[in-house]
Amino acid sequence: MDAEKTSSRKLDHIRICIDRDVEFSKSNGFERHELAHNALPEARLSDMDTSTEFLGKKFRLPFIIEAMTGGSPGTESINRNLAMAAEELGIGMGLGSQRAMLEDPELAYTYDVRDVAPGIFLLGNIGAVQLSMYSINEIRGLVRDIKADGIAVHLNAAQELSQPEGDRDWRGVLANIGKFCRKAGFPVVVKETGCGISGDVARKLEQAGASCIDIAGAGGTSWIMVESYRGSESAKAFLEWGIATAESLMQCRKAVDIPLIASGGIRTGLECAKALAMGASLAGFALPLLKPATESHQAVSRKLSGLAGELRKAMLLAGTGNIEELRKKGCKSTG
Ligand SMILES: Cc1cc2nc3c(=O)[nH]c(=O)nc-3n(C[C@H](O)[C@H](O)[C@H](O)COP(=O)(O)O)c2cc1C
C-alpha cells in the first residue's frame, strides 16, 4: 500500500464518520449494569475528586481521547485541537495510525502536537500487522519523533477483512507483539478499534507484555459500517460483529491484572462511571470528539467538560467522592 492510498483512505474515513451514521445498531451493553443509588450522599458536587493516575502519569479526569487521525494533509488541525483540549483538561490522547508516516516520513507534521500539549500522556499508534513489516527501531522512531509516552498497537481484523485492499494474513501477530513489547522501552497499549477483546485474548496480550489493553468494544463506531459506505458489499453481513463493550470489559477484568481502558460507544459520563466501577482505569472516546475537533479546541473542551459534569453527578449519586471509591463500589448486573 503506498502513502498516497493510505492518506486518501484516512480522509475518506474522516468524511464518512462526520457525515454518516456509523454506529452499531446494538448497544455497548452498559444499560445492563447499574451503579447503586445513594439517597444520602452527604457530599457537595464541586468536591468530587476525578483525578487519577495512569501508567505513572497524573490525569485530572479519567479520560483519554482515542486514536483517530493524522497522516493526511489537513488532519493536523484535528489532532492539534484534540491535543489542546487534552492539555486544558489534564487527560490523555492517542494519535491515529502512523502507518502513513512510515510510508512517507514527510507526513510527520500531521501528528505533531507536543508543542501545544507539553504535559499530556500521549500515545502513538500502529497496526499490529505493520509490526512484521518494519523493524522495531523504525516503530520506536515513530514514538520518539512525535515525543509520545508510548504507543497503541491496534488490532482491526474485522475492518481489514471488509476492505478490498485490507490485510488478509493475521498469522504471527501475537509473537510480533511480544517481541515488540520486550524491546520497546516504553508502554505498549494493545487496542481493538470497535469489536472488543475477549478474556482469552486479553490473557495472551498480558503474557506477551502489553502494558494496558484498550478494549474498544462494539456499540459505538462500527468500522464495518464505515467500510460498507466505502462500497464494501461483503462487509454488510458483519455489521453487528463484535463483543459489546460492557461484556468485553467484564471478561478482560476477570482475565488480567494490567490496566484496562474502556472504549467503544461510551457516550455519557454515567457510562464512564459504570466502566470505572467495573474495573476500567480510564474511559476513551473517539467519534463524539471528531466533529468538535474539526471546529476548535474549545468545542472539544466543551464536549469533554459535559461528560466530566455527568461523571461527577454519577459519583455523587453513587455516594463515592473519588475515583478509587468508585472503583471499589462496583456495578450490579441486571441481566
Ligand atoms: C475517525 C476515526 C478514526 C480512527 N482511526 C483509528 C486509528 O487510526 N487507529 C486506531 O487504533 N483506532 C482508530 N479509531 C478507533 C478509535 O480509536 C476507537 O477505538 C473506536 O472508534 C471506538 O470508540 P468510539 O465508539 O468512541 O468511536 C478511529 C475512530 C474514528 C472515529
Side-chain angles (χ1 to χ4, degrees):
M1 172 90 25
D2 58 32
E4 214 171 295
K5 277 195 197 146
T6 304
S7 172
S8 89
R9 194 183 56 230
K10 284 268 139 197
L11 282 181
D12 275 0
H13 287 159
I14 297 282
R15 254 181 251 119
I16 292 169
C17 285
I18 289 175
D19 295 342
R20 315 291 290 260
D21 177 3
V22 294
E23 298 198 82
F24 278 83
S25 298
K26 73 181 181 191
S27 79
N28 59 23
F30 282 103
E31 75 282 5
R32 293 189 286 278
H33 299 270
E34 275 185 13
L35 269 171
H37 175 57
N38 184 334
L40 255 185
E42 291 288 338
R44 192 166 59 167
L45 188 61
S46 57
D47 288 339
M48 295 298 108
D49 178 2
T50 57
S51 65
T52 190
E53 211 176 289
F54 177 73
L55 296 179
K57 197 112 173 180
K58 290 206 175 351
F59 282 49
R60 294 213 304 278
L61 286 161
F63 292 172
I64 187 160
I65 298 172
E66 292 271 306
M68 276 192 279
T69 199
S72 300
T75 56
E76 65 278 7
S77 63
I78 297 181
N79 275 335
R80 293 172 79 76
N81 284 339
L82 292 168
M84 280 188 267
E87 179 75 26
E88 193 178 312
L89 295 174
I91 66 173
M93 171 179 169
L95 291 154
S97 171
Q98 290 172 275
R99 179 178 181 172
M101 177 173 159
L102 282 170
E103 291 167 355
D104 178 2
E106 294 211 343
L107 289 167
Y109 75 95
T110 62
Y111 302 92
D112 206 359
V113 298
R114 230 351 151 198
D115 59 322
V116 294
I120 67 169
F121 176 81
L122 182 67
L123 287 172
N125 188 288
I126 196 66
V129 170
Q130 269 74 60
L131 295 180
S132 67
M133 299 172 184
Y134 295 90
S135 71
I136 289 178
N137 273 343
E138 282 171 300
I139 309 282
R140 288 172 64 181
L142 292 177
V143 170
R144 187 193 55 231
D145 290 352
I146 58 162
K147 302 188 182 69
D149 297 288
I151 198 162
V153 173
H154 68 255
L155 302 169
N156 65 340
Q159 180 190 12
E160 295 287 341
L161 293 182
S162 55
Q163 289 174 348
E165 71 275 28
D167 292 309
R168 295 287 183 270
D169 186 354
W170 285 75
R171 292 170 304 168
V173 168
L174 180 65
N176 285 332
I177 290 176
K179 255 187 252 161
F180 182 67
C181 288
R182 281 193 292 280
K183 297 263 172 69
F186 44 66
V188 179
V189 174
V190 182
K191 76 186 285 288
E192 240 290 343
T193 59
C195 290
I197 290 189
S198 65
D200 278 352
V201 168
R203 211 170 287 117
K204 288 177 187 165
L205 294 172
E206 182 182 49
Q207 280 162 9
S211 320
C212 165
I213 292 171
D214 179 344
I215 59 181
T221 307
S222 159
W223 283 100
I224 319 287
M225 185 87 83
V226 174
E227 296 303 340
S228 76
Y229 286 128
R230 289 180 72 227
S232 171
E233 274 303 312
S234 64
K236 289 195 174 135
F238 291 88
L239 284 177
E240 297 299 311
W241 181 265
I243 311 169
T245 301
E247 169 64 23
S248 172
L249 176 57
M250 282 203 308
Q251 287 191 26
C252 291
R253 191 63 298 160
K254 260 191 221 146
V256 298
D257 292 323
I258 53 177
L260 300 174
I261 297 173
S263 70
I266 304 236
R267 300 292 179 257
T268 67
L270 173 55
E271 287 172 344
C272 297
K274 289 182 182 182
L276 297 174
M278 289 163 68
S281 294
L282 300 177
F285 322 89
L287 191 64
L289 303 177
L290 180 59
K291 192 151 186 296
T294 61
E295 293 161 13
S296 64
H297 71 91
Q298 291 92 339
V300 180
S301 289
R302 267 197 303 279
K303 179 72 198 168
L304 286 163
S305 299
L307 292 162
E310 291 167 356
L311 169 63
R312 284 193 195 93
K313 285 182 192 163
M315 289 170 69
L316 181 125
L317 291 172
T320 58
N322 61 47
I323 299 298
E324 207 36 56
E325 287 174 14
L326 181 59
R327 287 214 185 94
K328 287 200 186 116
K329 170 127 183 150
C331 260
K332 201 172 126 209
S333 168
T334 58

